[in-house]
Structures are given as C-alpha cells and as structure tokens.
C-alpha cells in the first residue's frame, strides 16, 4: 500500500510518501509554476509514487477551499484562483486512491496534535509564519474544520492599531502586518533595499533598524491576535512555527509583551506561546495524517 501526502503551499508544491522513517530529504518540492500547475503537480506525484499503486493521497492546500466539493482556490496559483477540482483530478490520476482534502492550517494542527507540542493538551492554536500566515485550532481534542473547511484563517483576524492593506482586500488583517511578504513590503516602503524574507531576517539579525522594526510590529500584531483568539476559544497553548518564528528576540519579545498586556482575563494568565519543533515538514506531516485517516478532517 502506497500512501502519499501533497502540500499546496504559498510558495510551492511538496509531495512525499507517508512512512514512519520519512525525513526532509524524502520530500520533493517544486516552485509554483507560472502555467500548467496541475501538469507539474501530476509529474511531482508520479515521481514520488514511483510506479506503485497509490491507495490514499492526503492533500493540504492553502485556502480558500471547498472541502466537500474537493475544490481549492489558492491565490498564489493564478490558474486555480477561480477554483480547481483537485480531488477529482487526483482520483483520475490515482483511480484506486482515497483523496481527503483539508486546509493547510487544519493539517498543521493535525501534525502538532499528533507529533508536536500540542499532543498533551485538548485545546490549542498552531500557527506557521512564512510568506503568509497559516493557522489551525484544536478544541476538545478535535481539529476545527468549519462549514466549508476554512476554519483557522487566523491570518485574517483583525488586529487593533494596524490598518495595512491585506491581499484579501481588507485592511488590518494579521497577515497584512505579520506575514513575510507583508513585512518585506513594509520594510521596502521605509527605505530598506532587500527583497526577500531570508534577507529581512539576516538584516534584522545584524542590527539593521528597519528590518528589526518590521519584525517588532509583526510580533506586536501576533501577540494581540493570539490574545484575542485565546480569549475567544479559552486556549492556554499556542505553538508558533515557520521560518519567521526563528527570528529571535526581535519578534518574540514584542509578541510576549503584547500577550502579557492583552491576555488579562482570569482564565488566561497561563497562556503559553512556544516555538514548534516540527520545522518545515509540519503541514505535509498533517497531510499524511489525513491520508491515513482515509477521510476529510
């Protein structure tokens, strides 16, 4: 039995076989193609399958999605913005396979619940900060999916004190302040010459003021959003992953200060925000959990 996991992310596609001994070297990644997105995705999946019969394929996708219809519409893939029937296409490619689909944040939460820092609690929030912000919520031991499969879009929680325009068309969303692309854009508007998230992190590490300020305002926004979600859902544990979670004190200090300032209700003093230990494989690990479950999350 060959089981695969597929991640449709904000910067590329990733696929792997699902097995106990899979590591990062076993994950195949490609950038998002300008055209022929499904053709390239098929090639990636067939390469990973290696000619074996595939019995299950778990798909974690950036949103929005329609989980019941098997449709994804990630804004990062131009051809799919109007909706792409990925479950139908995958079943055509692998006729014997079950193809459960879930939001990337749902898969992130599944991975943290199964293998990460939230395995010992019943209620938690998992966040990943890269180009964009991915989130997944666990309440009562169950990952929240929502009416259409889009529960967990924490990146679009509104953050008081900020009015930055978001890619969704709104203003003041968490992602518009704390997403990697938003940070790079803001830093550029302040006169910084860099163009990428890794450059931003390195510039902040060596003490450049503007990149450090970008991380500082992102940390403040994250802390405010986390305090709000924790109050709404009665959470005491938040796990933060993704490349930008490794930014160090420039991000974590203002984040902690904002949580301490705003998480003041009597049931929130124990609220913890800790770094994820799963690294860049968290979301695709969750897609693997989804595949093994044999059903939508």
């Amino acid at each position: 039995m060959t089981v695969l996991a597929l991640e449709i992310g904000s910067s590329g596609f990733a696929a792997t076989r699902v097995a106990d001994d899979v590591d990062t070297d076993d994950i195949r990644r490609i950038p998002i193609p300008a055209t022929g997105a499904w053709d390239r995705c098929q090639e990636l999946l067939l390469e990973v399958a290696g000619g074996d019969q595939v019995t299950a394929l778990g798909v974690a996708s950036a949103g929005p999605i329609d989980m019941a219809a098997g449709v994804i519409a990630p804004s990062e893939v131009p051809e799919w913005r109007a909706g792409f029937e990925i479950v139908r296409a995958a079943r055509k490619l692998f006729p014997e396979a079950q193809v459960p689909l879930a939001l990337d944040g749902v898969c992130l939460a599944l991975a943290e619940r199964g293998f990460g820092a939230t395995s010992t609690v019943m209620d938690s929030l998992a966040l990943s900060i890269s180009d964009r912000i991915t989130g997944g919520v666990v309440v009562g031991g169950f990952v929240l999916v929502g009416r259409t499969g889009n529960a967990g879009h924490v990146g679009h929680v509104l953050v008081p004190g900020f009015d930055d325009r978001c890619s969704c068309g709104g203003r003041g969303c968490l992602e518009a302040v704390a997403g990697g692309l938003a940070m790079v854009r803001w830093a550029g508007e302040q006169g910084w010459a860099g163009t990428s998230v890794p450059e931003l992190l390195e510039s902040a590490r060596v003490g450049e003021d503007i990149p450090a300020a970008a991380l500082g305002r992102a940390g403040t926004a994250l802390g405010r959003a986390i305090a709000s979600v924790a109050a709404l859902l009665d959470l005491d544990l938040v796990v933060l992953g993704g490349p930008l979670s490794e930014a160090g004190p420039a991000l974590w200090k203002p984040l902690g200060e904002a949580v301490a300032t705003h998480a003041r209700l009597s049931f929130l003093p124990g609220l913890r925000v800790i770094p994820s230990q799963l690294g860049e494989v968290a979301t695709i690990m969750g897609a693997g959990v989804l595949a093994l479950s044999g059903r939508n999350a």
Side-chain angles (χ1 to χ4, degrees):
M1 180 179 75
T2 298
V3 177
L4 303 183
L6 172 67
E7 177 184 352
I8 305 297
S10 61
S11 58
F13 303 158
T16 188
R17 288 174 174 250
V18 178
D20 292 337
D21 57 351
V22 170
D23 60 30
T24 55
D25 292 335
D26 298 310
I27 300 172
R28 300 290 183 266
R29 299 183 183 275
I30 60 171
I32 293 174
T35 59
W38 178 242
D39 290 339
R40 292 290 292 116
C41 193
Q42 282 189 101
E43 292 170 5
L44 176 67
L45 289 168
L46 290 171
E47 176 190 347
V48 172
D52 293 342
Q53 180 180 345
V54 175
T55 56
L57 168 65
V59 181
S61 178
I65 71 169
D66 183 333
M67 192 172 68
V71 173
I72 63 175
S75 60
E76 294 82 7
V77 186
E79 294 174 87
W80 295 352
R81 286 174 186 161
F84 175 65
E85 294 180 320
I86 194 166
V87 171
R88 181 179 178 183
R91 285 175 175 159
K92 185 175 180 181
L93 182 64
F94 301 123
E96 304 300 319
Q98 292 184 305
V99 188
L101 164 69
L103 190 71
D104 50 5
V106 167
C107 291
L108 176 68
L110 284 171
E112 291 288 355
R113 175 77 175 150
F115 310 103
T118 70
S119 61
T120 59
V121 300
M122 298 295 285
D123 307 279
S124 62
L125 169 65
L127 288 172
S128 178
I129 313 171
S130 55
D131 289 349
R132 303 199 183 278
I133 293 179
T134 301
V137 179
V138 177
V139 174
F142 294 95
V143 179
L144 294 186
V145 174
R147 175 178 56 88
T148 62
N150 287 288
H153 267 88
V154 181
H156 297 280
V157 168
L158 299 182
V159 184
F162 296 95
D163 193 44
D164 303 55
R165 181 169 293 282
C166 184
S167 61
C168 74
R171 302 189 76 96
C173 297
L174 175 61
E175 187 172 282
V177 182
L181 294 177
M183 282 192 240
V184 169
R185 182 177 63 251
W186 181 86
E189 291 169 351
Q190 311 311 307
W192 181 62
T195 59
S196 69
V197 171
E199 285 180 90
L200 183 86
L201 292 175
E202 178 59 22
S203 295
R205 187 188 68 79
V206 300
E208 290 189 31
D209 290 341
I210 293 174
L215 288 168
R217 70 197 300 270
T220 296
L222 281 162
R224 291 176 183 176
I226 286 168
S228 296
V229 175
L232 177 67
L233 298 176
D234 193 8
L235 306 178
D236 67 351
L237 180 61
V238 177
V239 179
L240 191 61
L244 281 156
S245 69
E246 301 174 5
L251 179 84
W252 284 87
K253 186 173 184 291
L255 187 159
E257 290 171 348
V259 169
T261 298
H262 298 286
R264 303 300 292 272
L265 291 168
S266 61
F267 57 90
L268 292 177
L271 177 60
R272 296 168 291 153
V273 185
I274 62 174
S276 173
Q277 301 301 311
L278 298 184
E280 64 178 338
V281 302
T283 301
I284 202 166
M285 286 177 68
V289 173
L290 196 67
L292 293 173
S293 76
R295 56 180 174 80
N296 284 348

